[in-house]
């Protein structure tokens, strides 16, 4: 039986108040590095990302159609129940209980096919050179 693909996990140090800004920087870096917008899923643990709030203002149907179309970065709550897998998932720990962040980390790991970037504190602590250094620029 072939081994499951290994998902790279990178961490960006951020307080809950900084996490959205760090996530936006990560998305910009990913796009600048050549990633297609449709390859990126941004999930928030706390309050919804402002772009998600904006898109929802056009109605639920249009919002969810964007997920199905897959042509742009998609922003959603980390408790997303719809099918959504993207090459890159950016998990934004911008609030919520630690248990919710841990659940969101596990779910986000299952949604990423290549890379998970965690902005804030969620998931197992990585020590040594194997994990991305806190605040390290993301280039993928």
């Amino acid at each position: 039986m072939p081994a499951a693909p290994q998902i790279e996990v990178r961490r960006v140090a951020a307080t809950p108040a900084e996490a959205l800004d760090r996530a936006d920087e990560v998305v910009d870096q990913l796009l600048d590095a050549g990633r297609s917008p449709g390859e990126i899923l941004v999930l928030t643990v706390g309050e919804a990302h402002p772009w998600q709030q904006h898109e929802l203002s056009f109605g639920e149907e249009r919002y969810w159609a964007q997920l199905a179309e897959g042509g742009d970065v998609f922003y959603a709550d980390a408790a997303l129940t719809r099918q959504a897998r993207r090459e890159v998932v950016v998990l934004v720990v911008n609030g919520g209980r630690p248990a919710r962040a841990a659940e969101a980390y596990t779910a986000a790991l299952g949604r990423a096919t290549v890379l998970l970037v965690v902005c804030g504190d969620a998931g197992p602590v990585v020590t040594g050179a194997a994990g991305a250094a806190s605040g390290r620029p993301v280039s993928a």
Side-chain angles (χ1 to χ4, degrees), residues 3-137:
Q6 189 69 17
I7 306 300
E8 181 181 355
V9 177
R10 297 184 187 171
R11 297 175 182 281
V12 177
T15 65
E18 300 168 330
L20 280 173
D21 288 338
R22 297 299 81 77
D24 287 343
E25 291 167 5
V26 166
V27 170
D28 288 344
Q29 290 170 359
L30 291 164
L31 295 171
D32 289 347
R35 288 261 176 215
S36 165
E39 296 175 348
I40 303 170
L41 173 64
V42 178
L43 301 173
T44 54
V45 174
E47 184 177 335
H49 189 284
W51 193 250
Q52 177 187 1
Q53 294 173 18
H54 171 76
E55 292 301 322
L56 279 167
S57 72
F58 297 106
E60 290 269 337
E61 186 176 321
R62 180 68 204 127
Y63 172 73
W64 292 115
Q66 289 181 352
L67 175 61
E69 292 163 3
D72 206 351
V73 176
F74 191 78
Y75 296 84
D77 186 277
L80 179 68
T81 58
R82 296 191 184 218
Q83 283 289 92
R85 285 184 56 94
R86 298 271 175 110
E87 285 190 18
V88 179
V89 175
V90 179
L91 179 61
V92 185
V93 186
N94 59 328
R97 300 176 337 275
R100 186 170 191 287
E103 292 168 5
Y105 174 87
T106 301
L109 197 55
R111 293 183 183 281
T113 62
V114 175
L115 173 65
L116 170 61
V117 181
V118 181
C119 297
D121 188 20
V125 175
V126 180
T127 57
S134 296
R136 181 176 107 185

